[in-house]
Amino acid sequence: MLYTLLMKWMIVAPEMLDKNLSLVENFLDSQDAEYVEVFLSQDGKIESLTRDIQKGMSVSHCIIIDSHKMAASSDYANMLGLLLGEKTITFIHTGGQYDKRYEKIQVEGQTYFRCFEDINNLIKYVGNNYELYKIEELQLSSLQKLLTLGIPFTSDMFAQYIAKDKTEICELFLNAGMVTTAFNGDGVPMLCIAARNECVDKVKWLLENGADINAISKDRGYTAVMDAVWRKNIEITEYLIEAGADLSIISSDGQPILVLAVGNGDYKIVELLLKNGANPDIKDSMGMSAREYANLFKKNNIDKLMEKFPQK
């Protein structure tokens, strides 16, 4: 099962009949957001505030309406302290009495309060940035889940779970901000990791999420399609070719992809490469071509196959 995002909002208002409350409720309802509401009681205390927050409500964002009506309450000050302690992003409607003090309060160099005189401007601002808040919350929650599982957020660990074909954990890495174009500590792209470990689903998943199909590893100088040929995995080879893999890249030791395929002796992969434009006459670092190796090592079926592809 994949982990999903669940942003939680809190609305704080002086009373249930506050005229601005329905505007905020309607907005959050339009975003299918989950939210709780806290109101100022008749005796001047904010009902259930400490209980709701301290019981692990895990509020990620808060909207405060008509703060000027609650500013004199000690419970209101306590609430602000709790929100800061939880590092909750908070939008404060000041009711026409703009107070810059809130925006100057910082925790670890970051400001968590933003003030608006007009409720419509507050809603417009939140609406314009709502998708960003979802991404940020997803990154944070995914990172926390990785750390809870004892998994460091590093490209080497990402590579390990790519190799293990663990979709759930790989999704967590991606949601936490890891990029599919990352290399492991040995300089191997994630797509090559997936190809070397014959993880077909991860090859597809990486490409769907922006991996560079022609990224070259720093150890062998292979691309993912070369790794697939090396592993004699025709399914991955075919998929990468159809996805646009470059078949003209030469490895760091001077091997064209067809030389690699002939060396492995896999007829079907050689045929697949030839049919998709791989050149059998490109020389390797030894000055030999795939066609010449097939002849030299008496790979008769491959040699005969190459006769169908005359030298250009």
Side-chain angles (χ1 to χ4, degrees), residues 43-308:
D43 60 2
K45 294 184 179 296
I46 294 180
E47 298 175 344
S48 306
L49 174 66
T50 302
R51 181 195 66 199
D52 288 341
I53 294 181
Q54 292 185 342
K55 278 190 176 182
M57 189 170 59
S58 300
V59 171
S60 57
H61 298 76
C62 177
I63 296 176
I64 300 175
I65 302 170
D66 289 319
S67 66
H68 65 289
K69 296 180 181 180
M70 301 179 284
S73 168
S74 61
D75 284 324
Y76 180 72
N78 181 47
M79 177 194 67
L80 294 180
L82 288 170
L83 291 171
L84 279 176
E86 294 294 321
K87 298 181 180 179
T88 304
I89 298 173
T90 302
F91 307 94
I92 303 174
H93 167 235
T94 61
Q97 300 181 19
Y98 186 64
D99 192 337
K100 293 184 177 180
R101 291 178 302 169
Y102 297 123
E103 294 186 346
K104 292 181 179 179
I105 301 173
Q106 294 186 341
V107 176
E108 298 176 357
Q110 184 170 345
T111 301
Y112 290 90
F113 293 159
R114 189 175 185 91
C115 298
F116 299 83
E117 295 183 58
D118 185 272
I119 190 66
N120 292 305
N121 289 339
L122 184 155
I123 293 172
K124 181 179 179 181
Y125 180 88
V126 174
N128 288 341
N129 292 279
Y130 196 81
E131 289 302 314
L132 175 61
Y133 303 144
K134 288 171 65 176
I135 292 171
E136 291 174 342
E137 188 63 20
L138 180 59
Q139 287 182 336
L140 179 60
S141 63
S142 298
L143 181 59
Q144 289 174 339
K145 286 169 184 173
L146 282 172
L147 297 179
T148 299
L149 293 169
I151 302 173
F153 183 67
T154 66
S155 61
D156 278 335
M157 290 304 297
F158 185 38
Q160 286 189 33
Y161 284 95
I162 291 289
K164 293 176 182 178
D165 206 9
K166 299 290 186 179
T167 299
E168 183 177 355
I169 302 300
C170 291
E171 288 279 359
L172 279 179
F173 272 99
L174 186 65
N175 292 336
M178 184 64 68
V179 292
T180 55
T181 53
F183 289 66
N184 72 2
D186 294 323
V188 183
M190 297 301 148
L191 194 60
C192 288
I193 296 287
R196 291 180 187 186
N197 287 276
E198 302 187 80
C199 301
V200 179
D201 289 341
K202 283 300 154 293
V203 168
K204 296 177 180 180
W205 179 82
L206 286 164
L207 286 177
E208 289 168 359
N209 286 284
D212 180 0
I213 195 169
N214 294 314
I216 300 173
S217 65
K218 296 178 181 178
D219 55 354
R220 301 171 183 164
Y222 284 9
T223 60
V225 72
M226 296 176 79
D227 277 312
V229 169
W230 171 68
R231 293 292 291 178
K232 300 184 181 181
N233 191 306
I234 193 167
E235 182 179 1
I236 293 178
T237 301
E238 185 171 22
Y239 181 83
L240 289 169
I241 289 173
E242 290 176 354
D246 187 345
L247 302 182
S248 67
I249 294 172
I250 309 296
S251 70
S252 57
D253 61 358
Q255 280 190 313
I257 194 167
L258 261 176
V259 168
L260 183 61
V262 169
N264 278 345
D266 193 305
Y267 179 92
K268 289 184 178 180
I269 287 182
V270 171
E271 182 180 36
L272 176 65
L273 292 171
L274 287 168
K275 287 182 176 180
N276 283 278
N279 190 339
D281 298 303
I282 296 177
K283 306 289 186 180
D284 67 3
S285 59
M286 302 295 291
M288 293 281 289
S289 68
R291 191 190 303 275
E292 290 168 331
Y293 278 119
N295 181 269
L296 177 66
F297 294 113
K298 302 188 184 304
K299 297 180 183 288
N300 297 328
N301 58 341
I302 293 177
D303 192 22
K304 187 174 181 179
L305 171 64
M306 287 189 175
E307 291 176 2
K308 300 177 182 180

